[in-house]
Amino acid sequence: MSEKSVNPMVKLGLELGPVVLFFVAYTRIKDREFEIFGQSYEGFIIATAAFIPVLLVSTGLLWWLTGKLSRMQLMTAVLVVVFGGMSIWFNDDRFFKMKPTIIYLLFGGLLGIGLLQGKSYLRTVMDEMVPMTHEGWMILTKRVCAFFLSLALANELVWRFMSTDAWVNFKTFGLTALVFVFFIVQGPLFARYSTEEDKSGT
């Protein structure tokens, strides 16, 4: 199924909306405890329980509007359900906090496997958006692989050695900002290895 055109702001809202709503919910109920079926749950666990269906609805709307979901979006949804569900089931916030680490390790590892084979798996999902030469894709893939592994390490350090408040802020704003800045910094690479001029000249 080909990807349908959708308003970029709507797409961005659906992608970032669940994370923002999780942040808002957490800040409002983080100091409260909820008694459910005789079990006491902290605000973080309740916010996580609310986040899961919101993310699934958002992902479903993205698929309905665009006709396509990336592997990262699908994997993120699955891991949110698995690790979020484990946090709720065991009443332990550590499982949900580990989720970004697992995501970044998985994708960093997959890109690394491709690099060892002389391939850019990143190109298969981004080639239409960023037309570049093979050399450019290999350089970008190496950088993204290292970046993902660095994010996995950063997430581990934050959730293990800092407060839950710090982790929520890092997850909501820090990771988003780091990804944005990373791709902005790649501008010279995109320009140097772009194939747009070659296509326009043919």
Side-chain angles (χ1 to χ4, degrees):
M1 182 184 294
S2 59
E3 188 169 1
K4 305 172 188 174
S5 176
V6 62
N7 188 303
M9 294 306 296
V10 172
K11 189 171 184 289
L12 183 64
L14 288 172
E15 289 173 343
L16 298 182
V19 176
V20 173
L21 289 175
F22 171 79
F23 174 79
V24 172
Y26 170 75
T27 55
R28 288 180 177 273
I29 64 175
K30 63 179 182 178
D31 296 322
R32 296 175 58 187
E33 288 199 0
F34 299 82
E35 196 78 18
I36 302 175
F37 299 121
Q39 178 71 44
S40 181
Y41 295 92
E42 294 181 351
F44 182 92
I45 299 297
I46 300 301
T48 300
F51 174 73
I52 295 173
V54 169
L55 179 75
L56 292 178
V57 169
S58 176
T59 303
L61 285 172
L62 272 173
W63 176 78
W64 180 63
L65 289 171
T66 66
K68 182 179 180 180
L69 289 175
S70 69
R71 291 181 179 89
M72 179 171 282
Q73 288 170 324
L74 289 171
M75 185 63 71
T76 297
V78 170
L79 291 177
V80 163
V81 171
V82 171
F83 285 88
M86 289 175 69
S87 280
I88 297 165
W89 182 264
F90 294 107
N91 199 8
D92 188 336
D93 61 10
R94 292 177 297 178
F95 292 105
F96 192 64
K97 291 176 180 177
M98 286 184 222
K99 186 261 301 176
T101 301
I102 303 300
I103 288 176
Y104 292 126
L105 284 177
L106 278 173
F107 284 100
L110 286 172
L111 292 180
I113 291 172
L115 288 170
L116 291 175
Q117 298 173 340
K119 301 176 182 178
S120 171
Y121 291 156
L122 190 64
R123 183 175 189 173
T124 62
V125 295
M126 292 182 63
D127 192 33
E128 292 183 1
M129 294 182 288
V130 188
M132 287 195 299
T133 63
H134 175 73
E135 183 182 0
W137 276 112
M138 292 301 290
I139 294 172
L140 180 62
T141 302
K142 290 175 184 177
R143 293 180 182 180
V144 173
C145 178
F147 179 61
F148 278 169
L149 297 178
S150 298
L151 289 182
L153 176 61
N155 186 69
E156 282 296 294
L157 293 174
V158 172
W159 85 259
R160 288 183 184 275
F161 299 107
M162 300 179 73
S163 67
T164 295
D165 282 358
W167 181 82
V168 170
N169 283 309
F170 173 72
K171 175 68 175 69
T172 306
F173 305 108
L175 288 176
T176 303
L178 286 171
V179 171
F180 178 77
V181 170
F182 173 81
F183 280 101
I184 289 295
V185 171
Q186 306 313 309
L189 176 70
F190 298 148
R192 181 178 180 183
Y193 293 97
S194 174
T195 58
E196 284 289 351
E197 293 184 1
D198 295 337
K199 290 181 179 178
S200 61
T202 57

